[in-house]
Amino acid sequence: MPRLLLTPGPVAIPDFVMDALRKPVIYHRTEEFEHFYASFLVQLRALFQTEQRVCSLLGSGTAGVEAAMYSTFHKGERVLVLENGKFSKRWTDYAGLIGLEVIPLRLPWGKSFAPTTILDALERNPGISGIVLTHCETSTGVCLDLEEIAFAVKRHHPHILLLVDAITTLGAIPFYFDAWQIDLAVLASQKALMSPAGLVAFACSELALEKMHPTHKSDYFNLYNYLKAAESFSVPYTPPVQILYAVQAALTHILEIGLPRHWNQVHRLSRLFKDGIQKLGGEIFGESPSDSLTAFGFEATDLLKLKHELIQQYDIHLSGGQDELEGKILRVSHMGYLTEADMKRTLEAIEKILM
Amino acid sequence: MPRLLLTPGPVAIPDFVMDALRKPVIYHRTEEFEHFYASFLVQLRALFQTEQRVCSLLGSGTAGVEAAMYSTFHKGERVLVLENGKFSKRWTDYAGLIGLEVIPLRLPWGKSFAPTTILDALERNPGISGIVLTHCETSTGVCLDLEEIAFAVKRHHPHILLLVDAITTLGAIPFYFDAWQIDLAVLASQKALMSPAGLVAFACSELALEKMHPTHKSDYFNLYNYLKAAESFSVPYTPPVQILYAVQAALTHILEIGLPRHWNQVHRLSRLFKDGIQKLGGEIFGESPSDSLTAFGFEATDLLKLKHELIQQYDIHLSGGQDELEGKILRVSHMGYLTEADMKRTLEAIEKILM
């Protein structure tokens, strides 16, 4: 059996995406590039479900969220950061680092945020100008009900800016940037876009753009530069052309299937795997688990050993828990180029090892 | 004739580097990755000619130099920035943006810096703790005599930190990080390493490391995080694994040839092309032109038209001048997977168009 990569980023990449990596390199200060990038931005808009501004940046997911926060919020601003896992904790730390007045709203890892909890926090802390939300915590698999949260927040506080880390959701589960009134959302190529790591992309509302400022040309993290350059289908700095080609191939594939059908496909893999784990006596970790990945455990089982044996005996590679969840959960991606057979193969392998 | 990409980044990429892009993706939190990255760091050390610390980051050249400055210099520090072109001007701007007390040492585009000019500036401006140098200005082709400059500075001011943008030199022309006593140097994958854009790499002295500080985990531009992670052959954030594979293939190729022989090969292409341009009545732009690229012009010739006809008639793609040099020079790379035949083909095409 071939190697099966089930880590929740990087993910299994299809051959047609790998092939696109090999397309001839082009110089980015040309009409040829602008022509390509114009069509790429159209695809990005379709993915984000937006008619507003989009752009991309060469970097990892961390770079993407940091750039979003850095570009949008300014020293001393009050920002509410929802923290319920490893990655959302990063955004709290970074907000402090760039001098924001951070109001962290903390829940134990594995818990989800109800809209009322957020509205209460906004009431208790007047003057908050933005909220940083992690749609799905890759470290726990917990997925916020972003539609509900955004609806509640925007209804009572239309001027509070919603900045969403959608790294582990965009492309995998329903996401409607315009309809939900999100202001700034970030995705990364190596997750639901089933591409190599290297690219992050953004959608941006007028409200978010108004908060950004032009600076000198040299300011890699200033999204204003990217959004302005995108108006003429250009980029401020050298783009990762080969990665752009790969992401283009993935986007073409996903959009040809159609987003709702594609989301449904991810959902079916998730359902199949979660049901299978429960049938084997396992437990799904956390509240409102995402379809992007499954975080799970088995009582009285050495999970690190299980993970190791899956690699050794079956060439199946999944992730363990991180930081405080090390040894307590395993994580399997439903993002990437995966089939129901891959999920069944994994469940069967787990069953055999547990027997 | 096949398309010939002669822009000074991105450059012509060989097939064996493109092939490496397609290697199976691996998860970076594994021994498999650490094993790979350990050998990659060994190759990087050989390239930088250093036995000190090295690391890599997912980003463009701009990201690399910004990260180097951000990690090393702190608010209010006095820093001398040598500025003689588009890219070195960026570093002046960025230094101001992060709150450094910038002393820009400016020369007209096309001029080079003599060691005495720099020593004079250090004397006139006491308390300078670092110098930012652009080894070769990609916008003009001007190459500093880094060995001489570093020798002069370190002899009189051993504690002044030398931060070198070596993006358009490292891998193309002689560079000795340890012997020249450089403190922090930056390279980018899409230049002399004949690879796709996406990776920047650094060598770092003890002096530079002492000036860096740990911060929260979330701080994408803090090289301290990367250098510390590299001690255990790891990276703090998702790395561009496919690009790393490509750069590994290029490094293996260059190191197998041997650095001095490889530098000599670039030198021969540069000599051949520069001689050819002069024979055609053209002029090489600027003082102390680099072997990495040739910036040149022809009097009373519409250079933008020449550039356009090279594309239209011969599928040869080179760069024009940027900003104030637009229409005044053309630029041809000697970095990348190029042969003497490629240089001759370009000279012949230019000759035919000019006739």
Side-chain angles (χ1 to χ4, degrees):
Chain A
M1 296 292 271
R3 164 179 288 218
L4 184 53
L5 187 66
L6 292 179
T7 52
V11 300
I13 303 176
D15 277 345
F16 59 84
V17 170
M18 282 295 203
D19 291 342
L21 278 177
R22 280 215 48 152
K23 286 176 72 174
V25 60
I26 54 171
Y27 180 43
H28 50 281
R29 303 283 172 231
T30 55
E31 279 180 25
E32 193 179 4
F33 178 80
E34 287 164 13
H35 187 78
F36 160 76
Y37 202 54
S39 71
F40 183 79
L41 295 175
V42 168
Q43 290 186 314
L44 270 188
R45 274 196 196 89
L47 182 74
F48 278 102
Q49 294 283 297
T50 185
E51 290 179 4
Q52 302 185 73
R53 291 166 188 271
V54 292
C55 68
S56 71
L57 173 155
L58 164 53
S60 77
T62 299
V65 179
E66 292 192 6
M69 291 174 71
Y70 166 84
S71 306
T72 316
F73 299 125
H74 306 288
K75 200 156 262 186
E77 255 189 286
R78 278 198 132 178
V79 174
L80 185 76
V81 185
L82 308 194
E83 185 188 312
N84 62 342
K86 178 187 169 80
F87 291 95
S88 44
K89 182 179 184 322
R90 270 198 191 166
W91 315 146
T92 308
D93 291 346
Y94 184 73
L97 194 68
I98 58 174
L100 309 185
E101 194 194 325
V102 194
I103 316 280
L105 188 58
R106 291 199 174 103
L107 283 179
W109 291 27
K111 296 288 176 194
S112 186
F113 290 93
T116 49
T117 315
I118 298 165
L119 291 178
D120 287 352
L122 293 175
E123 200 140 314
R124 278 199 316 276
N125 301 280
I128 282 174
S129 63
I131 305 180
V132 179
L133 307 102
T134 303
H135 192 183
C136 170
E137 248 299 341
T138 323
S139 64
T140 64
V142 169
C143 190
L144 303 189
D145 189 336
L146 186 56
E147 182 177 10
E148 285 285 321
I149 291 174
F151 181 78
V153 170
K154 284 290 180 181
R155 190 175 167 192
H156 297 95
H157 310 274
H159 291 295
I160 288 185
L161 197 137
L162 293 178
L163 193 163
V164 176
D165 162 359
I167 291 171
T168 303
T169 53
L170 241 161
I173 69 170
F175 192 99
Y176 295 94
F177 187 85
D178 286 356
W180 294 353
Q181 292 181 268
I182 308 301
D183 293 298
L184 194 54
V186 186
L187 69 77
S189 56
Q190 80 280 13
K191 303 277 184 172
L193 291 191
M194 49 180 91
S195 298
L199 196 82
V200 282
F202 308 85
C204 178
S205 73
E206 281 307 305
L207 182 64
L209 187 73
E210 273 168 26
K211 296 206 64 202
M212 297 181 186
H213 301 300
T215 52
H216 299 299
K217 240 328 175 43
S218 181
D219 193 4
Y220 193 78
F221 268 0
N222 190 352
L223 291 184
Y224 187 90
N225 296 340
Y226 294 83
L227 293 164
K228 280 291 157 182
E231 287 178 3
S232 48
F233 316 122
S234 183
V235 288
Y237 313 113
T238 305
V241 172
Q242 309 313 114
I243 307 283
L244 280 166
Y245 284 146
V247 175
Q248 181 195 43
L251 281 171
T252 303
H253 169 77
I254 291 172
L255 296 172
E256 270 173 15
I257 292 176
L259 273 177
R261 263 183 72 200
H262 178 73
W263 294 332
N264 194 41
Q265 212 160 302
V266 176
H267 173 69
R268 273 190 292 117
L269 298 187
S270 163
R271 200 61 270 153
L272 193 160
F273 191 78
K274 286 179 171 67
D275 286 349
I277 288 295
Q278 286 173 319
K279 270 184 209 145
L280 293 175
E283 215 174 311
I284 309 304
F285 182 77
E287 291 177 359
S288 56
S290 179
D291 278 335
S292 319
L293 72 152
T294 298
F296 63 98
F298 290 94
E299 251 187 78
T301 303
D302 184 340
L303 294 176
L304 291 176
K305 198 170 152 235
L306 173 58
K307 179 182 152 216
H308 190 71
E309 285 179 9
L310 281 165
I311 297 174
Q312 291 302 310
Q313 294 177 38
Y314 299 93
D315 212 3
I316 297 175
H317 300 253
L318 38 78
S319 292
Q322 295 170 300
D323 300 348
E324 62 180 71
L325 290 176
E326 202 183 332
K328 294 181 182 159
I329 56 170
L330 295 176
R331 293 174 302 141
V332 158
S333 176
H334 311 302
M335 302 174 291
Y337 200 61
L338 299 169
T339 62
E340 298 194 5
D342 295 325
M343 297 297 112
K344 286 177 190 158
R345 175 181 158 198
T346 307
L347 289 167
E348 280 163 22
I350 292 173
E351 184 174 17
K352 279 185 194 148
I353 294 170
L354 290 181
M355 272 197 315
Chain B
M1 297 290 272
R3 165 179 287 217
L4 185 53
L5 187 66
L6 292 179
T7 51
V11 300
I13 302 176
D15 277 345
F16 58 84
V17 170
M18 283 295 204
D19 291 342
L21 278 176
R22 280 216 47 153
K23 286 176 73 175
V25 60
I26 54 171
Y27 179 42
H28 50 281
R29 303 283 173 231
T30 54
E31 279 180 26
E32 192 178 3
F33 178 80
E34 287 164 13
H35 187 77
F36 160 76
Y37 202 54
S39 71
F40 183 79
L41 295 175
V42 168
Q43 291 186 314
L44 271 188
R45 276 197 194 88
L47 182 74
F48 278 101
Q49 295 282 297
T50 185
E51 291 179 3
Q52 303 183 75
R53 291 166 189 270
V54 292
C55 68
S56 71
L57 173 154
L58 164 52
S60 77
T62 299
V65 179
E66 291 191 7
M69 291 174 72
Y70 166 84
S71 305
T72 317
F73 299 126
H74 306 287
K75 200 154 260 185
E77 256 190 283
R78 279 198 129 177
V79 173
L80 186 75
V81 185
L82 307 194
E83 184 187 313
N84 62 342
K86 178 187 170 79
F87 291 95
S88 44
K89 182 180 183 321
R90 270 199 191 166
W91 314 147
T92 308
D93 291 345
Y94 185 73
L97 194 67
I98 57 173
L100 308 185
E101 195 194 325
V102 194
I103 316 281
L105 189 58
R106 293 198 173 102
L107 282 178
W109 291 26
K111 297 289 177 193
S112 186
F113 290 92
T116 49
T117 315
I118 298 164
L119 290 179
D120 287 352
L122 293 176
E123 200 139 317
R124 278 199 316 277
N125 300 280
I128 282 174
S129 63
I131 306 180
V132 178
L133 307 103
T134 303
H135 192 183
C136 170
E137 248 300 341
T138 323
S139 63
T140 64
V142 169
C143 191
L144 304 189
D145 190 335
L146 185 56
E147 183 177 9
E148 285 284 322
I149 290 173
F151 181 77
V153 171
K154 284 292 181 178
R155 190 174 167 194
H156 296 95
H157 310 274
H159 292 294
I160 288 184
L161 196 138
L162 294 177
L163 193 162
V164 176
D165 163 359
I167 291 171
T168 303
T169 52
L170 242 161
I173 68 170
F175 193 99
Y176 296 93
F177 187 85
D178 286 356
W180 294 353
Q181 292 180 268
I182 308 301
D183 293 298
L184 193 55
V186 185
L187 69 78
S189 55
Q190 81 278 14
K191 304 277 184 172
L193 291 191
M194 48 182 91
S195 297
L199 195 82
V200 283
F202 308 85
C204 178
S205 73
E206 280 307 305
L207 183 63
L209 186 73
E210 274 167 27
K211 297 206 64 202
M212 298 181 185
H213 300 300
T215 52
H216 298 298
K217 239 326 176 44
S218 180
D219 192 5
Y220 193 77
F221 268 0
N222 190 352
L223 292 184
Y224 186 89
N225 295 341
Y226 294 83
L227 293 164
K228 279 291 157 181
E231 286 178 4
S232 48
F233 317 123
S234 184
V235 289
Y237 313 114
T238 304
V241 171
Q242 309 312 114
I243 307 283
L244 280 167
Y245 284 146
V247 175
Q248 180 195 43
L251 281 171
T252 303
H253 169 78
I254 292 172
L255 296 172
E256 269 174 14
I257 293 176
L259 274 176
R261 263 183 72 199
H262 179 73
W263 294 333
N264 194 41
Q265 212 161 301
V266 176
H267 173 69
R268 273 190 293 117
L269 298 187
S270 163
R271 200 61 272 152
L272 193 160
F273 191 78
K274 286 178 171 67
D275 286 350
I277 287 295
Q278 285 173 320
K279 270 183 207 145
L280 293 175
E283 215 172 313
I284 309 304
F285 181 77
E287 290 178 0
S288 56
S290 178
D291 278 335
S292 319
L293 73 153
T294 297
F296 63 98
F298 290 94
E299 253 187 76
T301 303
D302 184 340
L303 294 177
L304 290 178
K305 196 168 154 238
L306 173 57
K307 178 181 155 220
H308 190 69
E309 286 179 9
L310 281 166
I311 296 174
Q312 291 302 311
Q313 295 177 37
Y314 299 93
D315 212 3
I316 296 175
H317 301 253
L318 38 78
S319 292
Q322 294 169 301
D323 300 347
E324 63 180 69
L325 290 176
E326 201 181 333
K328 294 182 181 159
I329 57 170
L330 295 177
R331 294 174 301 142
V332 158
S333 176
H334 311 302
M335 303 173 290
Y337 199 62
L338 300 169
T339 63
E340 296 194 6
D342 295 326
M343 297 297 112
K344 286 178 189 158
R345 175 181 158 197
T346 307
L347 289 167
E348 281 164 22
I350 291 173
E351 185 173 17
K352 279 184 193 148
I353 294 170
L354 291 180
M355 270 195 318

